[in-house]
């Protein structure tokens, strides 16, 4: 079923001389040519805006990347792009973006519910204010832990500061590794 072409469209303007003759084969060829030119221009514009790279991996390298990408719940192409950008920007690649998004959604819903309680005056203004302050602290802590986890050095430093006897145990562990 052919749809009618809008007279203001660029396709109609392109086909107008052929439509006047009424030759179906000429119209079909002109339509093909129009779409060929359209796609060619679209690709040219896309190449100007976005750069693409072709890289190759050995079978073993590809299997490693694919396995890690699967644990991150991403296609290997998206994983490669995300991990390369994270490395270049010195940021942390969130292992499970879907779980992170679900956590963010749950936090947003909780925040909205707290605002509803405040607006409905189900609790005192002071209690609502304190709850919102606590919520913001928790949200910031979760956000930090999920997007910027502590490095091994930070974890070891904190462990030693909280319990100085860990220093000798960690030293022995490191010496045993090497």
């Amino acid at each position: 079923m052919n749809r009618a072409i809008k007279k203001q469209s660029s396709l109609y303007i392109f086909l107008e001389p052929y439509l006047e003759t009424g030759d179906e084969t000429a119209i079909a060829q002109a339509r093909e040519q129009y779409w060929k030119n359209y796609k060619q221009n679209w690709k040219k514009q896309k190449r100007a805006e976005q750069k693409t790279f072709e890289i190759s991996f050995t079978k073993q390298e590809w299997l490693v990347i694919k396995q890690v990408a699967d644990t991150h719940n991403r296609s290997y192409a998206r994983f490669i792009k995300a991990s390369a950008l994270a490395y270049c920007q010195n940021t942390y690649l969130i292992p499970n973006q879907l779980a992170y998004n679900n956590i963010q959604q749950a936090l947003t819903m909780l925040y909205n519910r707290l605002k509803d309680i405040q607006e409905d005056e189900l609790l005192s203004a002071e209690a609502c204010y304190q709850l919102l302050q606590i919520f913001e602290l928790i949200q910031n802590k979760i956000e930090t832990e999920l997007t910027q986890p502590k490095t091994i050095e930070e974890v070891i430093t904190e462990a030693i500061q909280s319990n100085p006897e860990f220093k000798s145990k960690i030293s022995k562990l490191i010496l045993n590794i090497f």
Side-chain angles (χ1 to χ4, degrees), residues 122-136:
L122 298 175
L123 294 174
S124 70
E126 181 61 30
C128 285
Y129 177 77
Q130 289 178 355
L131 280 174
L132 288 171
Q133 292 297 316
I134 292 169
F135 174 79
E136 287 179 14

Side-chain angles (χ1 to χ4, degrees), residues 31-45:
R31 186 184 298 255
E32 275 184 42
Q33 185 62 39
Y34 171 83
W35 286 114
K36 181 180 176 183
N37 293 343
Y38 180 87
K39 289 175 185 176
Q40 187 177 29
N41 289 336
W42 180 81
K43 285 181 182 179
K44 185 177 180 181
Q45 183 180 358

Side-chain angles (χ1 to χ4, degrees), residues 5 10-35 37:
I5 302 172
S10 57
L11 175 60
Y12 183 83
I13 293 168
F14 183 82
L15 292 177
E16 196 168 17
Y18 302 98
L19 293 173
E20 291 173 0
T21 63
D23 183 12
E24 290 293 324
T25 57
I27 293 170
Q29 288 176 346
R31 186 184 298 255
E32 275 184 42
Q33 185 62 39
Y34 171 83
W35 286 114
N37 293 343

Side-chain angles (χ1 to χ4, degrees), residues 51-171:
K51 300 299 177 199
T52 60
F53 297 95
E54 184 176 323
I55 56 174
S56 61
F57 297 100
T58 65
K59 180 84 171 172
Q60 187 61 35
E61 292 169 334
W62 178 78
L63 288 172
V64 169
I65 290 172
K66 185 167 179 358
Q67 181 181 16
V68 176
D70 288 343
T71 61
H72 282 254
N73 295 323
R74 297 174 190 221
S75 69
Y76 55 88
R78 286 191 180 171
F79 172 75
I80 292 168
K81 180 180 179 179
S83 58
L85 287 172
Y87 178 81
C88 292
Q89 296 167 348
N90 200 23
T91 59
Y92 179 72
L93 181 63
I94 297 171
N96 189 337
Q97 188 67 43
L98 181 61
Y100 174 76
N101 291 345
N102 288 339
I103 291 169
Q104 288 294 86
Q105 183 180 14
L107 289 171
T108 302
M109 289 171 63
L110 178 59
Y111 179 79
N112 289 338
R113 182 65 184 125
L114 287 173
K115 286 302 240 181
D116 289 344
I117 290 171
Q118 183 181 30
E119 289 172 6
D120 295 341
E121 297 178 1
L122 298 175
L123 294 174
S124 70
E126 181 61 30
C128 285
Y129 177 77
Q130 289 178 355
L131 280 174
L132 288 171
Q133 292 297 316
I134 292 169
F135 174 79
E136 287 179 14
L137 289 173
I138 292 170
Q139 185 179 22
N140 289 338
K141 181 73 172 168
I142 290 171
E143 179 75 22
T144 301
E145 291 299 321
L146 290 176
T147 60
Q148 300 168 352
K150 294 177 183 170
T151 63
I152 293 175
E153 291 85 8
E154 291 171 333
V155 171
I156 291 172
T157 302
E158 286 179 8
I160 291 172
Q161 287 175 349
S162 67
N163 192 347
E165 68 184 47
F166 282 155
K167 186 174 184 175
S168 62
K169 291 179 181 181
I170 293 172
S171 296

